[in-house]
Amino acid sequence: MQKICILTPQVVSIIVTASEGKKTNQYVQLAVSQFITLDVKNINLIDLELGEVVPFNTTILYVSGGNTFELMHFMREVGFIKTIEN
């Protein structure tokens, strides 16, 4: 029988900037619990509006829902698009 190797992401960063309630939003908390069930131990909740930055070693970047225009405003303001490109 063949063995299957599943790699677990080491660092997950969730962008909560445009979410209502931000870090306490029920959908953000649901995403966190789902990543925990996948055995992810390092989960960051990032609010670009507060100047928080995504760690360079992030393996999964999850953008939570919310006001798209607000999210794009802060992404542009902090140069987040360039960060992703790099």
Side-chain angles (χ1 to χ4, degrees), residues 17-33:
T17 303
S19 301
E20 187 175 318
K22 301 203 182 210
K23 296 178 182 183
T24 61
N25 181 292
Q26 66 180 344
Y27 300 109
V28 169
Q29 291 305 310
L30 176 61
V32 168
S33 68

Side-chain angles (χ1 to χ4, degrees), residues 72-83:
M72 285 305 297
H73 166 77
F74 287 108
M75 282 183 159
R76 286 185 182 118
E77 189 173 279
V78 299
F80 185 72
I81 305 301
K82 287 259 190 236
T83 301

